[in-house]
């Protein structure tokens, strides 16, 4: 059986998970009686920890929000994961949080046991992040927090937005999710005035406060919200768009197509249409070549011209049949 101090720390660790703990389950986990659990709960409250208790079938004990944040208890793997996440944030994953991330990282590394400190420093010494090939969009942590809070609280959000052309517009939305894709964040929301789902780049959003009234949740635009965002963001940025007839069943083509690359429509049992695009015709040609199926392309003209040039080049490069 754990001594009182160790038991209190173990109890506090359990209560920090986001769920309610029935007294009987806590007693079983700690190997003590229900009465001892109640006494330990009282001790934590005397130490300033706001332990809430609810009755009923779904009731139990949980750690509530207090005026001051209690010590955070982490196991080995959790401590290493948090340290790595803070290091990533300190390198500018979310602009505006670098300094506070470094401060938190310094505090955490100071109290890590030597065995974990060695693991973390080894990871830092032998891993290298490739610099971004383009400037990181500036997104303040305050804006991201506002967006996520509005999603959680289901409150309408007013904001000023710069569209793709750089023109300012005012938007009223029902926010659903904030999605991280690459080094950018996107807000998926129901546009109230346009009566449709929209995807907004978070670094172009300037929220107006306070947020609006609460709203009833809608059916999301897709079961896979990450794929939904990647597809819409990619297609919006494409310079060249193409509809390609592929001489293969749609199921075979879908297996090779990432939602960010394109979508597939059935024509018949042996053919389908691939709707795709890219910033360059060279990239489009690579996508089509990797399919390893016969296909027909009629537009854009630039892609047709490039494919013909590639066909001539490949014909010249291949040795004659012996």
């Amino acid at each position: 059986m754990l001594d009182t101090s160790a038991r209190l720390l173990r109890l506090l660790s359990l209560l920090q998970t986001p769920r309610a703990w029935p007294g009987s389950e806590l007693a079983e986990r700690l190997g003590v009686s229900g009465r001892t659990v109640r006494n330990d709960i009282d001790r934590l409250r005397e130490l300033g920890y706001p332990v809430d208790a609810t009755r009923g079938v779904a009731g139990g004990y949980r750690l509530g929000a207090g005026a001051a944040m209690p010590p955070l208890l982490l196991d080995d793997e959790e401590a290493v994961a948090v340290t790595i996440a803070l290091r990533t944030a300190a390198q500018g994953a979310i602009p505006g949080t670098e300094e506070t991330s470094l401060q938190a990282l310094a505090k955490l590394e100071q109290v890590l046991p030597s065995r974990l400190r060695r693991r973390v420093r080894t990871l830092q010494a032998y891993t290298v992040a490739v610099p971004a090939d383009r400037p990181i969009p500036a997104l303040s942590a305050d804006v991201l927090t506002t967006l996520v809070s509005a999603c959680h609280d289901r409150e309408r959000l007013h904001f000023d937005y710069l569209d793709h052309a750089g023109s300012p517009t005012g938007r009223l939305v029902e926010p659903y999710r904030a999605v991280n894709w690459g080094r950018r964040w996107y807000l998926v929301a129901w546009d109230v005035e346009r009566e449709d789902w929209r995807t907004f780049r978070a670094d172009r959003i300037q929220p107006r406060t306070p947020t609006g009234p609460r709203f009833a949740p809608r059916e999301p635009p897709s079961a896979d919200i990450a794929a939904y965002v990647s597809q819409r963001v990619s297609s919006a940025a494409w310079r060249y768009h193409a509809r390609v007839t592929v001489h293969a069943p749609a199921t075979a083509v879908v297996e090779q197509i990432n939602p960010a690359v394109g979508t597939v429509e059935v024509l018949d049992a042996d053919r389908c249409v691939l709707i795709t695009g890219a910033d360059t015709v060279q990239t489009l040609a690579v996508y089509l070549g990797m399919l390893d199926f016969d296909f027909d392309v009629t537009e854009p003209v630039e892609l047709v011209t490039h494919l013909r040039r590639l066909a001539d080049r490949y014909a010249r490069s291949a040795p004659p049949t012996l």
Side-chain angles (χ1 to χ4, degrees):
M1 181 183 297
L2 298 173
D3 61 34
T4 302
S5 298
R7 193 176 66 246
L8 286 177
L9 287 174
R10 175 60 178 156
L11 175 58
L12 183 58
S13 177
L14 292 173
L15 292 175
Q16 285 180 340
T17 58
R19 55 162 291 189
W21 289 89
S24 58
E25 188 172 352
L26 289 175
E28 182 179 352
R29 290 290 189 100
L30 299 172
V32 296
S33 66
R35 180 178 180 181
T36 300
V37 168
R38 290 190 294 273
N39 290 336
D40 286 347
I41 293 293
D42 289 338
R43 290 191 181 95
L44 289 178
R45 287 169 174 163
E46 291 172 359
L47 292 172
Y49 295 101
V51 181
D52 299 330
T54 55
R55 299 181 180 276
V57 176
Y61 298 102
R62 69 168 67 236
L63 194 64
M69 188 176 73
L72 186 62
L73 301 178
L74 303 171
D75 62 27
D76 287 6
E77 299 304 321
E78 290 171 340
V80 172
V82 170
T83 304
I84 294 172
L86 285 172
R87 174 67 64 181
T88 302
Q91 293 172 345
I94 302 180
T97 65
E98 295 91 344
E99 183 177 352
T100 52
S101 297
L102 280 174
Q103 293 172 352
L105 181 63
K107 292 178 181 179
L108 181 58
E109 289 184 342
Q110 185 177 7
V111 298
L112 284 177
S114 58
R115 65 182 187 280
L116 297 185
R117 192 179 301 116
R118 183 175 183 275
R119 286 177 59 185
V120 169
R121 289 178 178 174
T122 299
L123 283 169
Q124 294 171 359
Y126 292 95
T127 57
V128 179
V130 176
D133 58 358
R134 64 188 65 183
I136 302 174
L139 171 64
S140 74
D142 289 342
V143 169
L144 184 58
T145 300
T146 299
L147 301 183
V148 173
S149 298
C151 292
H152 176 270
D153 297 336
R154 296 175 180 169
E155 292 181 341
R156 285 189 172 185
L157 185 65
H158 294 261
F159 58 82
D160 297 316
Y161 187 70
L162 293 177
D163 62 18
H164 189 68
S167 302
T169 61
R171 299 297 182 98
L172 173 62
V173 304
E174 296 175 355
Y176 177 68
R177 287 290 187 276
V179 179
N180 177 229
W181 188 41
R183 286 184 170 268
R184 286 178 176 163
W185 285 87
Y186 295 88
L187 176 68
V188 178
W190 174 265
D191 192 309
V192 176
E193 296 177 351
R194 291 160 179 79
E195 297 185 342
D196 196 9
W197 290 96
R198 290 289 190 271
T199 301
F200 303 94
R201 266 182 54 174
D203 57 292
R204 295 176 178 170
I205 292 176
Q206 184 57 52
R208 301 177 188 174
T209 54
T211 53
R214 293 175 63 88
F215 60 87
R218 299 174 183 272
E219 186 71 21
S222 173
D224 188 343
I225 202 67
Y228 172 83
V229 169
S230 65
Q231 178 181 336
R232 290 179 66 90
V233 170
S234 296
S235 60
W238 289 339
R239 181 181 177 186
Y240 297 99
H241 294 74
R243 289 178 62 90
V244 181
T245 300
V246 183
H247 295 268
T251 53
V253 177
V254 167
E255 291 178 356
Q256 303 187 42
I257 295 297
N258 183 290
V261 173
T263 58
V264 178
E265 297 178 355
V266 177
L267 280 181
D268 53 42
D270 300 314
R271 296 182 307 155
C272 62
V273 172
L274 171 62
I275 302 171
T276 185
D279 289 337
T280 66
V281 292
Q282 290 83 358
T283 302
L284 267 175
V286 171
Y287 290 160
L288 296 176
M290 292 175 63
L291 285 176
D292 200 26
F293 296 125
D294 291 341
F295 56 86
D296 300 323
V297 179
T298 57
E299 59 181 21
V301 174
E302 295 89 343
L303 177 59
V304 174
T305 301
H306 181 68
L307 289 175
R308 287 173 178 164
R309 187 182 304 119
L310 281 180
D312 292 340
R313 183 178 300 156
Y314 290 156
R316 291 191 304 268
S317 301
T321 303
L322 299 178

